[in-house]
Amino acid sequence: MKRIGFLSFGHYQPVPGSKTRTARDVLTQTIELAVAAEEIGIDNASVRVHHFARQLASPFPLLAAMAARTSRIELGTGVIDMRYENPLYMAEEAAATDLISDSRLQLGVSRGSPETALAGYESFGYVPAEGQTDADMARQHAGVFLRAIEGAGVAHANPEMTGGQTGGLSIMPQSETLRERIWWGSGTRSTAKWAAEMGMNLQSSTLLTEDTGESFGDLQASQIEIYRDAWKAAGWEREPRVSVSRSILPITTDIDRMYFGGRQDDAEDQVGYIGGELARFGKSYAGEPDEIAGALVQDAAVMSADTLLLTVPNQLGVDYNARLLETVAEHIAPAIGWSRALV
């Protein structure tokens, strides 16, 4: 079953034309957009997480509020930067949020992306050990988090308080199936393989920190194939899920043309260096809905993934983005095998 959702980067800034001038604006509007998306029949409402920037930063209060206002739509992150996280506290927060949502959380975690702060995670109190990279630390935090939500004993019991019990204590609360709904945001084929071995679903990144000369979609499709092969080799019983994200901007009105008509700077894949690593960015799809639908059918990764997340221009407000989602649902998504959820 193909699913579609939105992914909000959560930008806010008091600049001309912005509907999200303050942090309160972007938080409340993200909740309202999740409500609108559910009414349209969209399957997923996800948010990006960035620190030290005018963007969404603390996802769990927001996801819990989104959960309280909706009943069907999946709620997710893309992604939580594990370099910044206390994995046990995060496990408590995630389980509580999942219980509020009635098991609708689809939690994307990863190393994170290039950021405003220089080694900002160190300001949060997390410094890689000697001989360890920040990516190693992120994966270590992720491993502790996974064990915690699986119910592993992560603290020694105090026999004076537990009637003589001396075994390990699990974090509380626990959400029984949350472990199956954790995703790793992968920017390379090697980390996709690792995610499969760890039993996590795959979020293929909007930025791949490798380049083979293939198109972004073909490189992502190769990553997805490696992931699924590794999943099968690991012997996991359930079917994994895979998501990709795309900037999809249907142009149907004069307002759309004013914002996105004639865009050429991102109409092709972009290749460059990020932090000394060669990286490939995916192109944007802007144009008439039937043109976009035809192009997406030719995108190997979009067709291979079970979930497509649309990166929305959140600063244009709830009404604009709800109309964008409705246009995609009505005129574009059926071409890639999606059907509207019953509402």
Side-chain angles (χ1 to χ4, degrees), residues 157-165:
N158 179 352
E160 294 182 2
M161 300 294 294
T162 58
Q165 177 186 348

Side-chain angles (χ1 to χ4, degrees), residues 18-325:
S18 174
K19 303 291 186 182
T20 54
R21 303 179 67 81
T22 68
R24 174 176 167 77
D25 289 341
V26 75
L27 289 164
T28 57
Q29 288 186 31
T30 303
I31 297 166
E32 295 300 329
L33 186 57
V35 172
E38 181 170 86
E39 292 173 352
I40 292 166
I42 301 299
D43 305 296
N44 183 291
S46 289
V47 296
R48 287 292 300 266
V49 180
H50 284 282
H51 301 285
F52 301 107
R54 290 179 178 268
Q55 291 179 253
L56 297 170
S58 51
F60 292 110
L62 176 58
L63 292 169
M66 293 161 70
R69 292 284 307 280
T70 58
S71 61
R72 177 196 55 81
I73 196 168
E74 295 178 342
L75 307 166
T77 53
V79 292
I80 295 174
D81 188 334
M82 293 303 294
R83 296 174 297 180
Y84 283 81
E85 295 297 323
N86 177 318
L88 299 187
Y89 183 65
M90 178 178 163
E92 293 177 340
E93 294 279 277
T97 305
D98 196 43
L99 293 170
I100 291 170
S101 75
D102 194 19
S103 301
R104 288 184 284 137
L105 201 59
Q106 302 288 342
L107 200 63
V109 303
S110 191
R111 168 193 174 179
S113 58
E115 55 182 358
T116 303
L118 182 63
Y121 44 86
E122 294 187 359
S123 298
F124 275 52
Y126 303 111
V127 179
E130 185 176 352
Q132 186 184 55
T133 67
D134 64 324
D136 294 332
M137 183 175 69
R139 285 189 285 269
Q140 181 184 47
H141 285 187
V144 174
F145 169 73
L146 292 176
R147 290 192 295 276
I149 63 173
E150 289 168 352
V154 293
H156 295 293
N158 179 352
E160 294 182 2
M161 300 294 294
T162 58
Q165 177 186 348
T166 58
L169 297 179
S170 304
I171 64 101
M172 292 293 173
Q174 289 282 315
S175 186
E176 185 177 347
T177 62
L178 177 59
R179 176 63 173 83
E180 298 178 2
R181 288 175 280 110
I182 306 302
W183 305 59
W184 184 261
S186 175
T188 66
R189 289 166 293 181
S190 61
T191 54
K193 182 175 182 291
W194 176 82
E197 293 167 349
M198 293 291 290
M200 290 185 280
N201 302 303
L202 176 67
Q203 285 186 344
S204 187
S205 176
T206 52
L207 164 66
L208 298 179
T209 53
E210 58 184 350
D211 185 51
T212 62
E214 302 173 275
S215 71
F216 183 82
D218 287 345
L219 181 57
Q220 257 190 337
S222 172
Q223 181 194 49
I224 292 169
E225 182 179 7
I226 289 169
Y227 167 81
R228 287 184 171 140
D229 287 344
W231 183 277
K232 186 179 297 183
W236 300 108
E237 293 183 1
R238 68 178 178 88
E239 285 295 315
R241 289 185 59 185
V242 174
S243 74
V244 297
S245 55
R246 294 290 185 271
S247 176
I248 295 176
L249 303 165
I251 297 176
T252 62
T253 69
D254 290 340
I255 293 177
D256 300 332
R257 291 185 188 90
M258 178 182 70
Y259 284 127
F260 305 116
R263 288 177 63 148
Q264 296 298 325
D265 56 337
D266 54 2
E268 301 292 337
D269 293 350
Q270 303 294 312
V271 179
Y273 284 89
I274 299 276
E277 297 178 300
L278 188 63
R280 180 173 284 266
F281 303 80
K283 64 183 180 181
S284 293
Y285 290 88
E288 298 291 333
D290 58 341
E291 295 174 354
I292 294 175
L296 289 176
V297 170
Q298 301 303 313
D299 187 317
V302 167
M303 298 307 294
S304 179
D306 63 77
T307 301
L308 172 63
L309 298 179
L310 315 175
T311 57
V312 294
N314 76 278
Q315 286 182 285
L316 297 183
V318 176
D319 290 344
Y320 184 90
N321 282 293
R323 184 175 63 78
L324 183 155
L325 293 175

